[in-house]
Amino acid sequence: MQQQYVIILAGGTGSRMKSDIPKQFIELQGAPIIIHSLKRFINYNLNIQIIISVHKNYKNHLENIFQKFNLETKNIQIVFGGDTRFQSVKNGLNLIQDLDAVVGIHDSARPFVSLKTIQNCFETAAIKGNAIPCISINESLRKISNNINSSINRNEYKIIQTPQCFLVSKIKKAFEQEYNFVFTDDATVLETIGEKIVLVEGNEENIKITSPHDLLIAKALIHEE
Ligand code: CTP
Ligand code: MG
């Protein structure tokens, strides 16, 4: 089996959360969100190589957390994030030289990714070159354009999650392009160089904690576990 890597993105400041510290460091049931996220991947593969792309002002904070939670750090490397998510990913990818490996790119703000989703993504990417987790939309949707709104068929749309997994050779090549503001995730970056995106099943609890409301949901979810 190829070597597996995961890049955990923690380069943002969580402006929409409006908290004192970036949201990935807020504690949920006694441990920071990023610790919960990390543990999901370590549980999947004890030998996975972990790269954390962290905001430059919070590297010390992160290292203190590792000590406090006794986290085995021999497989963990830390890089500074950039001004955009794109740059934070790129800084992480720069550490990976093994072009045959598979890399997952995961938002630290998604601590509820399931083992099954991680497995789905890494295994499919190893065979097909990439795997992007997604879920269906439960709500009705309307499209607004030029002040006119119209109904759309929600079955034609999916909600996209992380970890988005890739063959290292392909995703490194995709990240050689210039940044474009449409790059809100990594699948979009890969698609732009002409690769076909492979969707796999994600899990509904795999929310991206973004707003104070999401934190309430997160507290309920962690309690349930
Ligand atoms: N991220 C990153 N580097 C950036 C921006 C975001 O690594 N320059 C990471 C965040 O830390 C987060 C993930 O990308 O884990 C998803 O981004 P988002 O939810 O938008 O987090 P923030 O950008 O921190 O939040 P906000 O947009 O509310 O400021
Ligand atoms: Mg953001």
Side-chain angles (χ1 to χ4, degrees):
M1 197 179 72
Q2 302 112 308
Q3 178 63 53
Q4 296 178 328
Y5 288 82
V6 62
I7 297 174
I8 303 273
L9 295 173
T13 55
S15 54
R16 285 170 287 182
M17 185 60 79
K18 298 184 173 70
S19 56
D20 297 341
I21 45 168
K23 59 190 181 183
Q24 55 271 28
F25 300 117
I26 295 175
E27 292 202 355
L28 267 184
Q29 211 161 54
I33 287 172
I34 189 168
I35 293 287
H36 292 287
S37 305
L38 262 171
K39 286 198 167 157
R40 299 282 166 144
F41 288 88
I42 297 171
N43 285 344
Y44 166 61
N45 173 3
L46 199 58
N47 295 313
I48 197 165
Q49 296 294 315
I50 299 167
I51 296 167
I52 303 179
S53 194
V54 69
H55 191 280
K56 59 179 174 358
N57 297 349
Y58 288 89
K59 182 166 183 269
N60 278 344
H61 187 75
L62 182 67
E63 285 166 345
N64 290 339
I65 287 174
F66 285 169
Q67 283 206 329
K68 183 172 168 197
F69 289 89
N70 256 326
L71 213 76
E72 171 61 72
T73 51
K74 90 173 149 45
N75 291 338
I76 301 180
Q77 288 175 279
I78 301 175
V79 286
F80 285 146
D83 288 341
T84 57
R85 187 184 181 283
F86 177 87
Q87 191 60 51
S88 295
V89 174
K90 196 170 164 125
N91 294 355
L93 285 174
N94 283 342
L95 292 192
I96 308 177
Q97 305 308 332
D98 179 355
L99 296 181
D100 298 325
V102 176
V103 60
I105 302 172
H106 188 64
D107 298 329
S108 60
R110 293 186 190 268
F112 299 112
V113 60
S114 69
L115 192 63
K116 194 165 164 223
T117 297
I118 296 175
Q119 215 158 15
N120 259 343
C121 291
F122 274 93
E123 284 174 10
T124 304
I127 298 165
K128 299 192 172 168
N130 72 81
I132 310 301
C134 68
I135 56 168
S136 300
I137 298 174
N138 295 329
E139 321 265 343
S140 295
L141 295 176
R142 294 188 78 78
K143 174 184 159 91
I144 301 163
S145 140
N146 296 327
N147 267 334
I148 296 173
N149 69 78
S150 52
S151 61
I152 56 170
N153 180 359
R154 69 177 172 212
N155 296 327
E156 291 180 1
Y157 295 83
K158 291 281 184 191
I159 293 171
I160 298 300
Q161 305 182 330
T162 72
Q164 300 188 359
C165 292
F166 307 92
L167 279 180
V168 168
S169 55
K170 296 205 167 174
I171 196 67
K172 271 176 86 91
K173 178 152 179 272
F175 270 82
E176 282 168 10
Q177 24 174 352
E178 287 295 306
Y179 172 69
N180 185 314
F181 71 93
V182 302
F183 294 159
T184 56
D185 71 348
D186 312 299
T188 313
V189 181
L190 186 68
E191 184 179 57
T192 307
I193 65 161
E195 290 283 339
K196 205 168 163 199
I197 298 304
V198 181
L199 295 179
V200 300
E201 188 73 28
N203 62 292
E204 221 172 323
E205 318 84 69
N206 186 18
I207 58 168
K208 180 163 69 70
I209 300 177
T210 304
S211 66
H213 174 256
D214 295 327
L215 213 49
L216 289 177
I217 298 172
K219 281 177 186 153
L221 285 172
I222 203 134
H223 191 71
E224 203 176 72
E225 290 181 346

